[in-house]
C-alpha cells in the first residue's frame, strides 16, 4: 500500500456488506434478497410497469425495515473519518439505506438512490418519504399519483456518475467496503482508480468478484476491518 502520508484524496465505495451487521439483508449472500425475490419481479422498470403493486409492496417493506435498524461500528468509523479527514473524501454508496448519514457522515453520494425518498415521475420532484407508496399517494409537489421508489433499478443509469468519476480520477486512495463487485458501473471503479494512479484497498467478508484488481485485500467483518483501517489512516 502506498505511503499513507502521500494520501490526500480518498474515494470509498460501500455496498450491502457494510449494513449487513445492522441487520439489513445483502443481495447475493445465501438467503439474501435476490434469493427471496426475483430481480425481474421487483427491481426493473418493466416489473414496475407489469405489476406496480408487487414492486411497491417490496419497497414499502424495505423502507419500513431500514427505519428499525441502527448504524454499526463500520458506519460510525467512516463518519469519524469524514469528520476528521482534512483532504477530499467521498463515500460513494450503492446502498439505499440512510445508515451512513445516521452515523454522522456528510460527504455521502447515493449512486443507486435512497429508500427514504419518493420520486414523482410526473413532475420529477424527489420528496422525503418514510411511509408507504402502495396506495399511490399524491405527490407533495404536484398532486399527481405518480410516485415511485427513488431507487435505481436494473437497466437504469446510476446517479451522479460524472461526480463519481471526477472524484475517482483525483483519488490517491480508493477503498471498497462490503460489495461483491457483481454490478457495474460500481464494480468498474477500482480499475478506473488504479489507472489514475490511486492505491486500492478492498475490505470485505470474503474475496469478491473484483478482488484481483486491488493492490491489497483484507477479509473479515466490516465492523472490525473498517474501524481498524480508519484508526490506521488517522494515526499516520
Ligand atoms: N462485512 C463485510 N462484508 C460483508 C459482510 C460484512 N459483515 N457481510 C457480507 N459482506 C460482503 C459479501 O461477502 C459480499 O461480497 O458484502 C458483499 C455484498 O454483496 P451483494 O449482496 O452483491 O451487495 P452489493 O455488492 O452491494 O450489490 C450491488 O446490486 O442488487 C444490486 O443495486 C443493488 O446496490 C446493489 C448492487
Amino acid at each position: 500500500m502506498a505511503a499513507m502520508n502521500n494520501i490526500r484524496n480518498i474515494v470509498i465505495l460501500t455496498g450491502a456488506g457494510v449494513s449487513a451487521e445492522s441487520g439489513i439483508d445483502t443481495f447475493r449472500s445465501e438467503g439474501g434478497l435476490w434469493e427471496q425475490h426475483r430481480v425481474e419481479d421487483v427491481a426493473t422498470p418493466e416489473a414496475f410497469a407489469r405489476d406496480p403493486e408487487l414492486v411497491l409492496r417490496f419497497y414499502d417493506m424495505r423502507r419500513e425495515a431500514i427505519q428499525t435498524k441502527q448504524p454499526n461500528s463500520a458506519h460510525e468509523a467512516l463518519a469519524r473519518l469524514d469528520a476528521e479527514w482534512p483532504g477530499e473524501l467521498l463515500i460513494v454508496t450503492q446502498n439505499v439505506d440512510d445508515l451512513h448519514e445516521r452515523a454522522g457522515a456528510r460527504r455521502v453520494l447515493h449512486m443507486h438512490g435512497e429508500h427514504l425518498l419518493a420520486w414523482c415521475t410526473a413532475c420529477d420532484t424527489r420528496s422525503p418519504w418514510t411511509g408507504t407508496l402502495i396506495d399511490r399517494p399524491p405527490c407533495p409537489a404536484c398532486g399527481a399519483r405518480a410516485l415511485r421508489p427513488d431507487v435505481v433499478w436494473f437497466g437504469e443509469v446510476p446517479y451522479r456518475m460524472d461526480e463519481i468519476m471526477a472524484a475517482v480520477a483525483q483519488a490517491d486512495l480508493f477503498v471498497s467496503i462490503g460489495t461483491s463487485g457483481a454490478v457495474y458501473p460500481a464494480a468498474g471503479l477500482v480499475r478506473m482508480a488504479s489507472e489514475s494512479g490511486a492505491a486500492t484497498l478492498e475490505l470485505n467478508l470474503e474475496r469478491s468478484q473484483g478482488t484481483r484488481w486491488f493492490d491489497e485485500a483484507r477479509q473479515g467483518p466490516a465492523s472490525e476491518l473498517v474501524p481498524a483501517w480508519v484508526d490506521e489512516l488517522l494515526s499516520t
Side-chain angles (χ1 to χ4, degrees):
M1 173 65 51
M4 290 271 197
N5 44 25
N6 295 340
I7 292 168
R8 187 156 177 76
N9 303 336
I10 303 176
V11 172
I12 300 166
L13 174 70
T14 67
V18 82
S19 294
E21 293 164 86
S22 294
I24 297 181
D25 288 338
T26 63
F27 295 93
R28 292 171 187 82
S29 56
E30 209 181 311
L33 271 174
W34 296 151
E35 283 193 3
Q36 301 164 33
H37 306 271
R38 288 181 346 124
V39 164
E40 304 84 80
D41 295 341
V42 294
T44 65
E46 295 76 21
F48 188 56
R50 190 174 54 241
D51 189 346
E53 289 217 356
L54 178 69
V55 172
L56 293 173
R57 194 171 295 114
F58 172 74
Y59 286 98
D60 283 353
M61 179 191 68
R62 304 262 302 151
R63 188 177 311 105
E64 186 186 353
I66 66 159
Q67 296 175 74
T68 67
K69 311 298 184 192
Q70 300 305 323
N72 62 57
S73 57
H75 297 108
E76 285 152 10
L78 292 176
R80 183 162 71 89
L81 180 62
D82 182 22
E84 296 179 24
W85 187 252
E88 296 298 321
L89 181 132
L90 184 62
I91 300 170
V92 177
T93 188
Q94 299 170 85
N95 300 345
V96 289
D97 65 55
D98 63 337
L99 297 185
H100 282 304
E101 290 89 344
R102 274 203 270 141
R106 291 289 159 268
R107 295 184 273 185
V108 182
L109 187 162
H110 286 266
M111 72 183 293
H112 292 164
E114 299 177 56
H115 270 317
L116 299 182
L117 289 176
W119 176 23
C120 178
T121 54
C123 73
D124 202 27
T125 301
R126 284 164 170 88
S127 308
W129 205 269
T130 55
T132 61
L133 290 174
I134 190 84
D135 306 319
R136 309 317 297 266
C139 165
C142 74
R145 294 182 181 278
L147 295 175
R148 60 162 269 186
D150 186 24
V151 170
V152 176
W153 287 326
F154 289 90
E156 296 183 323
V157 180
Y159 295 157
R160 299 167 65 184
M161 283 307 296
D162 296 351
E163 286 173 65
I164 296 170
M165 297 214 279
V168 168
Q170 298 303 316
D172 304 307
L173 176 61
F174 176 86
V175 182
S176 173
I177 304 172
T179 183
S180 59
V183 174
Y184 284 75
L189 296 176
V190 57
R191 271 175 281 172
M192 212 184 288
S194 285
E195 281 152 22
S196 315
T200 56
L201 170 66
E202 181 183 63
L203 306 176
N204 210 52
L205 192 61
E206 58 206 346
R207 288 180 65 81
S208 75
Q209 295 180 29
T211 299
R212 66 186 183 282
W213 305 111
F214 288 85
D215 298 322
E216 184 185 351
R218 304 177 188 175
Q219 277 93 45
S223 61
E224 292 170 18
L225 291 184
V226 178
W229 168 65
V230 168
D231 288 347
E232 202 182 306
L233 193 62
L234 291 177
S235 64
T236 53

